[in-house]
Amino acid sequence: AQSVTQLDSHVSVSEGTPVLLRCNYSSSYSPSLFWYVQHPNKGLQLLLKYTSAATLVKGINGFEAEFKKSETSFHLTKPSAHMSDAAEYFCVVSDPLGFQKLVFGTGTRLLVSP
Amino acid sequence: IAGITQAPTSQILAAGRRMTLRCTQDMRHNAMYWYRQDLGLGLRLIHYSNTAGTTGKGEVPDGYSVSRANTDDFPLTLASAVPSQTSVYFCASSETGGVNTGELFFGEGSRLTVL
């Protein structure tokens, strides 16, 4: 069975500084991995996805993530945080053998201070 | 384009009452899903539908039922609500094969409080 662990429930950064949100996964198969973002009182929106192509994936709003099989990690980064980045971020893994096998992490809340 | 519309946005309900959360999409996606979001637990799949006329159980289906009479609508029913069903409910949709592409489109959620 697959699973994801988001290592931090909260991350606080100052505007203009780098963002790192950590995610480790476990999967019996070659996984597909995703990051979703949820702004307050909104639904989730896809940020980026990895599906066995390039290991460095670029997403919307300047975010990117690197798939590292040796470390079973898929950390989300951004060089310079903006106030509008304050939101909840979810790491998600899917198993290609199961139709509904999306597994969500517990989320990391990103706080951005001026 | 509206995407996914959920109603109501918020509801307080007495335990034992029946409640239906509505979900409508205008993207003609084949697959639809209901998730519940609870603090510290992320999102958990309640029920899903691959296509109109079919439904399936997710991770936490007990106490919930769904129907999929047509492509656009996917209501979630709590037959007799209990306090543990207090949560935020999200409806989502995807194109066929959505799990492998991973792109789900979410509504803005329905916050349900059962007293």
Side-chain angles (χ1 to χ4, degrees), chain B residues 22-82:
Chain B
R22 301 184 298 279
C23 174
T24 300
Q25 55 120 346
D26 63 2
M27 297 175 283
R28 308 302 294 173
H29 286 164
N30 281 326
M32 296 188 75
Y33 316 80
W34 275 104
Y35 288 89
R36 60 177 289 172
Q37 183 179 25
D38 302 290
L39 192 63
L41 296 177
L43 273 74
R44 293 178 293 169
L45 183 66
I46 304 171
H47 284 288
Y48 64 91
S49 170
N50 298 346
T51 188
T54 68
T55 63
K57 294 181 179 181
E59 181 184 358
V60 289
D62 294 343
Y64 305 95
S65 63
V66 292
S67 61
R68 187 89 184 276
N70 57 62
T71 296
D72 298 341
D73 301 301
F74 191 44
L76 176 74
T77 298
L78 290 66
S80 178
V82 295

Coordinates of all heavy atoms in Angstrom, one line a residue, chain B residues 22-82:
Chain B
R22 N -25.3 18.4 -2.2 CA -25.4 18.4 -3.6 C -24.1 18.8 -4.3 O -23.3 19.6 -3.8 CB -26.5 19.4 -4.1 CG -27.9 19.0 -3.5 CD -29.0 19.9 -4.0 NE -28.8 21.3 -3.7 CZ -29.1 21.9 -2.5 NH1 -29.6 21.1 -1.5 NH2 -28.9 23.1 -2.3
C23 N -23.9 18.2 -5.5 CA -22.7 18.4 -6.2 C -23.0 18.4 -7.7 O -23.6 17.4 -8.2 CB -21.6 17.4 -5.9 SG -20.1 17.6 -7.0
T24 N -22.7 19.4 -8.4 CA -22.9 19.5 -9.9 C -21.7 20.0 -10.6 O -21.0 20.9 -10.1 CB -24.1 20.5 -10.2 OG1 -25.3 20.0 -9.5 CG2 -24.3 20.6 -11.7
Q25 N -21.3 19.3 -11.7 CA -20.2 19.8 -12.5 C -20.6 20.1 -13.9 O -21.6 19.5 -14.4 CB -19.1 18.7 -12.5 CG -19.5 17.3 -12.9 CD -18.8 16.8 -14.1 OE1 -18.1 17.5 -14.8 NE2 -19.0 15.5 -14.4
D26 N -19.9 21.0 -14.5 CA -20.2 21.4 -15.9 C -19.1 21.1 -16.8 O -19.0 21.7 -17.9 CB -20.7 22.8 -16.0 CG -19.6 23.8 -15.6 OD1 -18.5 23.3 -15.3 OD2 -19.9 25.0 -15.5
M27 N -18.2 20.2 -16.5 CA -17.0 19.9 -17.3 C -17.2 18.6 -18.0 O -16.2 18.2 -18.7 CB -15.8 19.9 -16.4 CG -15.5 21.2 -15.7 SD -14.2 21.1 -14.5 CE -15.0 20.3 -13.1
R28 N -18.3 17.9 -17.9 CA -18.6 16.6 -18.5 C -17.5 15.6 -18.2 O -17.2 14.7 -19.0 CB -18.6 16.8 -20.1 CG -19.6 17.9 -20.5 CD -21.0 17.6 -20.0 NE -21.6 16.4 -20.6 CZ -22.8 15.9 -20.3 NH1 -23.5 16.5 -19.3 NH2 -23.2 14.9 -20.9
H29 N -17.0 15.6 -17.0 CA -16.1 14.6 -16.5 C -16.8 13.3 -16.2 O -17.9 13.4 -15.6 CB -15.3 15.1 -15.3 CG -14.3 16.1 -15.6 ND1 -13.7 16.9 -14.6 CD2 -13.7 16.5 -16.7 CE1 -12.8 17.7 -15.1 NE2 -12.8 17.5 -16.4
N30 N -16.2 12.2 -16.5 CA -16.8 10.9 -16.2 C -16.7 10.6 -14.8 O -17.7 10.0 -14.2 CB -16.1 9.8 -17.0 CG -16.6 9.8 -18.5 OD1 -17.7 10.1 -18.8 ND2 -15.7 9.4 -19.4
A31 N -15.6 10.9 -14.1 CA -15.4 10.4 -12.7 C -15.7 11.5 -11.7 O -15.4 12.7 -12.0 CB -14.0 10.0 -12.6
M32 N -16.4 11.1 -10.6 CA -16.7 12.1 -9.6 C -16.4 11.4 -8.2 O -16.4 10.2 -8.1 CB -18.1 12.6 -9.7 CG -18.4 13.4 -10.9 SD -20.0 14.2 -10.9 CE -19.8 15.5 -9.8
Y33 N -16.1 12.3 -7.2 CA -15.7 11.8 -5.9 C -16.3 12.6 -4.8 O -16.5 13.8 -5.0 CB -14.1 11.9 -5.8 CG -13.4 11.4 -7.0 CD1 -13.2 12.3 -8.1 CD2 -12.8 10.2 -7.1 CE1 -12.5 11.9 -9.3 CE2 -12.0 9.8 -8.2 CZ -11.9 10.6 -9.3 OH -11.2 10.2 -10.4
W34 N -16.4 12.0 -3.6 CA -16.7 12.7 -2.4 C -15.6 12.4 -1.4 O -15.3 11.3 -1.1 CB -18.0 12.3 -1.8 CG -19.2 13.1 -2.4 CD1 -20.1 12.6 -3.3 CD2 -19.6 14.4 -2.1 NE1 -21.0 13.6 -3.5 CE2 -20.7 14.7 -2.8 CE3 -19.0 15.4 -1.2 CZ2 -21.4 16.0 -2.8 CZ3 -19.7 16.6 -1.2 CH2 -20.8 16.9 -1.9
Y35 N -15.0 13.5 -0.9 CA -14.0 13.4 0.2 C -14.5 14.1 1.4 O -15.3 15.1 1.3 CB -12.7 14.1 -0.2 CG -11.9 13.3 -1.3 CD1 -12.1 13.6 -2.6 CD2 -10.9 12.4 -0.9 CE1 -11.3 12.9 -3.6 CE2 -10.1 11.8 -1.9 CZ -10.4 12.0 -3.2 OH -9.6 11.4 -4.2
R36 N -14.0 13.7 2.6 CA -14.2 14.5 3.8 C -12.8 14.9 4.3 O -11.8 14.2 4.1 CB -15.0 13.7 4.9 CG -14.4 12.4 5.4 CD -15.2 11.9 6.5 NE -15.1 12.6 7.7 CZ -15.8 12.4 8.8 NH1 -16.7 11.5 8.9 NH2 -15.7 13.2 9.9
Q37 N -12.8 16.1 4.8 CA -11.5 16.7 5.3 C -11.6 17.0 6.8 O -12.5 17.7 7.2 CB -11.1 18.0 4.5 CG -9.8 18.6 5.0 CD -9.4 19.8 4.2 OE1 -10.3 20.6 3.7 NE2 -8.1 20.1 4.1
D38 N -10.8 16.3 7.5 CA -10.7 16.5 9.0 C -9.3 16.9 9.4 O -8.3 16.4 8.9 CB -11.2 15.2 9.7 CG -12.5 14.8 9.2 OD1 -13.5 15.4 9.6 OD2 -12.7 13.7 8.5
L39 N -9.3 17.8 10.4 CA -8.0 18.3 10.9 C -7.0 17.2 11.2 O -7.4 16.3 12.0 CB -8.2 19.2 12.1 CG -7.1 20.1 12.5 CD1 -6.7 21.1 11.4 CD2 -7.4 20.8 13.8
G40 N -5.8 17.2 10.7 CA -4.8 16.3 11.0 C -4.9 14.9 10.2 O -4.1 14.1 10.4
L41 N -6.0 14.8 9.4 CA -6.2 13.5 8.7 C -6.2 13.7 7.2 O -6.3 12.7 6.5 CB -7.6 12.9 9.1 CG -7.7 12.5 10.6 CD1 -9.1 12.0 10.8 CD2 -6.7 11.5 11.0
G42 N -6.0 14.9 6.7 CA -6.0 15.1 5.3 C -7.4 14.9 4.7 O -8.4 15.0 5.4
L43 N -7.4 14.4 3.4 CA -8.7 14.1 2.8 C -8.8 12.6 2.7 O -7.9 11.9 2.3 CB -8.7 14.7 1.4 CG -9.2 16.1 1.2 CD1 -8.2 17.1 1.8 CD2 -9.5 16.5 -0.2
R44 N -10.0 12.1 2.9 CA -10.3 10.7 2.8 C -11.5 10.5 1.9 O -12.5 11.2 2.0 CB -10.6 10.1 4.2 CG -9.4 10.1 5.2 CD -9.7 9.6 6.5 NE -10.7 10.5 7.3 CZ -11.3 10.1 8.4 NH1 -11.1 8.9 8.9 NH2 -12.1 11.0 9.0
L45 N -11.4 9.5 1.1 CA -12.4 9.2 0.0 C -13.6 8.5 0.6 O -13.4 7.5 1.3 CB -11.8 8.4 -1.1 CG -12.7 8.1 -2.3 CD1 -13.1 9.4 -3.0 CD2 -12.0 7.1 -3.2
I46 N -14.8 9.0 0.4 CA -16.0 8.4 0.9 C -16.6 7.5 -0.1 O -16.8 6.3 0.1 CB -17.0 9.5 1.3 CG1 -16.4 10.5 2.3 CG2 -18.3 8.9 1.9 CD1 -17.3 11.7 2.5
H47 N -17.0 8.0 -1.3 CA -17.5 7.3 -2.4 C -17.0 7.9 -3.7 O -16.6 9.0 -3.7 CB -19.0 7.3 -2.4 CG -19.7 6.4 -1.4 ND1 -19.7 5.1 -1.5 CD2 -20.3 6.8 -0.2 CE1 -20.4 4.6 -0.4 NE2 -20.8 5.6 0.3
Y48 N -17.1 7.1 -4.7 CA -16.7 7.6 -6.0 C -17.6 7.0 -7.1 O -18.4 6.1 -6.8 CB -15.2 7.3 -6.4 CG -15.0 5.8 -6.5 CD1 -15.1 5.1 -7.7 CD2 -14.6 5.0 -5.4 CE1 -14.9 3.8 -7.8 CE2 -14.4 3.6 -5.5 CZ -14.5 3.0 -6.7 OH -14.3 1.7 -6.8
S49 N -17.5 7.6 -8.3 CA -18.3 7.1 -9.4 C -17.4 7.2 -10.7 O -16.9 8.3 -11.0 CB -19.5 7.9 -9.6 OG -20.2 7.6 -10.8
N50 N -17.2 6.1 -11.3 CA -16.4 6.1 -12.6 C -17.1 6.7 -13.7 O -16.5 7.3 -14.6 CB -16.0 4.7 -13.0 CG -15.2 4.0 -11.9 OD1 -14.6 4.6 -11.0 ND2 -15.1 2.7 -12.0
T51 N -18.4 6.5 -13.8 CA -19.2 7.0 -14.9 C -20.7 7.0 -14.4 O -21.0 6.4 -13.4 CB -19.0 6.2 -16.1 OG1 -19.7 6.8 -17.2 CG2 -19.6 4.8 -16.0
A52 N -21.5 7.7 -15.1 CA -22.9 7.7 -14.8 C -23.5 6.3 -14.7 O -23.2 5.4 -15.5 CB -23.7 8.5 -15.8
G53 N -24.2 6.0 -13.6 CA -24.9 4.7 -13.4 C -24.0 3.8 -12.5 O -24.5 2.7 -12.1
T54 N -22.8 4.2 -12.2 CA -22.0 3.3 -11.3 C -21.4 4.1 -10.2 O -21.1 5.3 -10.3 CB -20.8 2.7 -12.1 OG1 -19.9 3.8 -12.5 CG2 -21.2 2.0 -13.4
T55 N -21.3 3.4 -9.0 CA -20.7 4.0 -7.8 C -19.8 3.0 -7.1 O -20.0 1.8 -7.4 CB -21.7 4.6 -6.9 OG1 -22.5 3.5 -6.4 CG2 -22.6 5.6 -7.5
G56 N -18.9 3.5 -6.3 CA -18.1 2.6 -5.5 C -17.7 3.1 -4.2 O -17.9 4.4 -3.9
K57 N -17.3 2.3 -3.3 CA -17.0 2.7 -1.9 C -15.5 3.1 -1.8 O -14.6 2.4 -2.4 CB -17.3 1.6 -0.9 CG -18.7 1.2 -0.8 CD -18.9 0.1 0.2 CE -20.4 -0.2 0.4 NZ -20.7 -1.3 1.4
G58 N -15.3 4.1 -1.1 CA -13.9 4.6 -0.8 C -13.4 4.1 0.5 O -13.8 3.0 1.0
E59 N -12.6 4.9 1.1 CA -12.0 4.5 2.4 C -12.9 4.6 3.6 O -12.8 3.8 4.5 CB -10.8 5.5 2.6 CG -10.0 5.2 3.9 CD -8.9 6.3 4.1 OE1 -8.7 7.2 3.2 OE2 -8.2 6.2 5.1
V60 N -13.8 5.5 3.6 CA -14.7 5.7 4.8 C -16.2 5.8 4.3 O -16.8 6.9 4.5 CB -14.3 7.0 5.6 CG1 -13.0 6.7 6.3 CG2 -14.1 8.2 4.7
P61 N -16.8 4.8 3.8 CA -18.1 4.9 3.2 C -19.3 4.8 4.2 O -20.4 5.1 3.9 CB -18.1 3.7 2.3 CG -17.3 2.7 2.9 CD -16.2 3.5 3.6
D62 N -19.0 4.2 5.4 CA -20.1 3.9 6.3 C -20.9 5.2 6.8 O -20.3 6.2 7.2 CB -19.5 3.2 7.6 CG -19.0 1.8 7.2 OD1 -19.3 1.3 6.1 OD2 -18.2 1.3 8.1
G63 N -22.2 5.0 6.6 CA -23.1 6.1 7.0 C -23.4 7.1 5.9 O -24.2 8.0 6.1
Y64 N -22.8 6.8 4.7 CA -23.0 7.7 3.5 C -23.5 6.8 2.4 O -23.2 5.7 2.2 CB -21.7 8.3 3.1 CG -21.0 9.1 4.2 CD1 -20.0 8.5 4.9 CD2 -21.4 10.5 4.4 CE1 -19.3 9.3 5.9 CE2 -20.7 11.2 5.4 CZ -19.7 10.6 6.1 OH -19.0 11.3 7.1
S65 N -24.3 7.5 1.5 CA -24.7 6.8 0.2 C -24.6 7.9 -0.9 O -24.7 9.1 -0.6 CB -26.1 6.2 0.3 OG -27.0 7.2 0.5
V66 N -24.4 7.4 -2.1 CA -24.4 8.3 -3.3 C -25.2 7.7 -4.4 O -25.5 6.5 -4.4 CB -22.9 8.5 -3.7 CG1 -22.1 9.3 -2.7 CG2 -22.3 7.2 -4.1
S67 N -25.5 8.5 -5.4 CA -26.1 8.1 -6.6 C -25.5 8.8 -7.7 O -25.0 9.9 -7.6 CB -27.6 8.3 -6.5 OG -27.9 9.6 -6.4
R68 N -25.6 8.3 -8.9 CA -25.1 9.0 -10.1 C -26.0 8.7 -11.3 O -25.8 7.9 -12.1 CB -23.7 8.5 -10.4 CG -23.0 9.2 -11.5 CD -22.2 10.4 -11.0 NE -21.7 11.2 -12.1 CZ -20.5 10.9 -12.7 NH1 -19.8 9.9 -12.4 NH2 -20.0 11.7 -13.7
A69 N -27.1 9.4 -11.3 CA -28.2 9.3 -12.3 C -27.8 9.8 -13.6 O -28.2 9.4 -14.7 CB -29.5 9.9 -11.8
N70 N -26.9 10.8 -13.6 CA -26.4 11.4 -14.9 C -25.0 11.9 -14.7 O -24.4 11.8 -13.6 CB -27.3 12.6 -15.3 CG -27.4 13.7 -14.2 OD1 -26.4 14.3 -13.8 ND2 -28.6 13.9 -13.7
T71 N -24.4 12.4 -15.8 CA -23.0 12.8 -15.7 C -22.7 13.9 -14.8 O -21.6 14.0 -14.1 CB -22.5 13.1 -17.1 OG1 -22.6 12.0 -17.9 CG2 -21.0 13.6 -17.1
D72 N -23.6 14.9 -14.7 CA -23.3 16.1 -14.0 C -23.5 16.1 -12.5 O -22.9 16.9 -11.8 CB -24.2 17.2 -14.6 CG -23.9 17.5 -16.1 OD1 -22.8 17.1 -16.6 OD2 -24.8 18.0 -16.8
D73 N -24.4 15.3 -12.0 CA -24.8 15.4 -10.6 C -24.3 14.1 -9.8 O -24.4 13.0 -10.2 CB -26.3 15.5 -10.5 CG -26.8 16.7 -11.2 OD1 -26.4 17.8 -10.8 OD2 -27.6 16.6 -12.1
F74 N -23.9 14.4 -8.5 CA -23.4 13.3 -7.7 C -23.7 13.7 -6.2 O -22.8 14.1 -5.5 CB -21.9 13.2 -7.9 CG -21.3 12.0 -7.3 CD1 -21.9 10.7 -7.4 CD2 -20.0 12.0 -6.6 CE1 -21.3 9.6 -6.9 CE2 -19.5 10.9 -6.1 CZ -20.1 9.7 -6.2
P75 N -24.9 13.5 -5.8 CA -25.3 13.9 -4.4 C -24.8 12.9 -3.4 O -24.7 11.7 -3.7 CB -26.8 13.9 -4.5 CG -27.2 13.0 -5.6 CD -26.1 13.1 -6.6
L76 N -24.5 13.4 -2.2 CA -24.1 12.5 -1.1 C -25.1 12.6 0.0 O -25.5 13.7 0.4 CB -22.7 13.1 -0.6 CG -22.2 12.4 0.7 CD1 -21.6 11.0 0.3 CD2 -21.0 13.2 1.3
T77 N -25.6 11.5 0.5 CA -26.7 11.5 1.5 C -26.2 10.9 2.8 O -25.5 9.8 2.8 CB -27.9 10.7 1.0 OG1 -28.4 11.4 -0.2 CG2 -29.0 10.7 2.0
L78 N -26.5 11.6 3.9 CA -26.3 11.0 5.2 C -27.7 10.6 5.7 O -28.5 11.5 5.9 CB -25.7 12.1 6.1 CG -24.3 12.5 5.9 CD1 -24.0 13.2 4.6 CD2 -23.8 13.3 7.1
A79 N -27.9 9.3 5.8 CA -29.3 8.9 6.1 C -29.7 9.3 7.5 O -30.9 9.6 7.7 CB -29.4 7.4 5.9
S80 N -28.8 9.2 8.5 CA -29.1 9.5 9.8 C -27.8 10.1 10.4 O -27.0 9.3 10.9 CB -29.6 8.3 10.6 OG -29.8 8.6 12.0
A81 N -27.7 11.4 10.4 CA -26.4 12.0 10.8 C -26.0 11.8 12.2 O -26.8 11.7 13.1 CB -26.5 13.5 10.5
V82 N -24.7 11.6 12.4 CA -24.1 11.5 13.7 C -23.0 12.5 13.9 O -22.4 13.0 12.9 CB -23.5 10.0 13.9 CG1 -24.6 9.0 13.9 CG2 -22.5 9.7 12.9

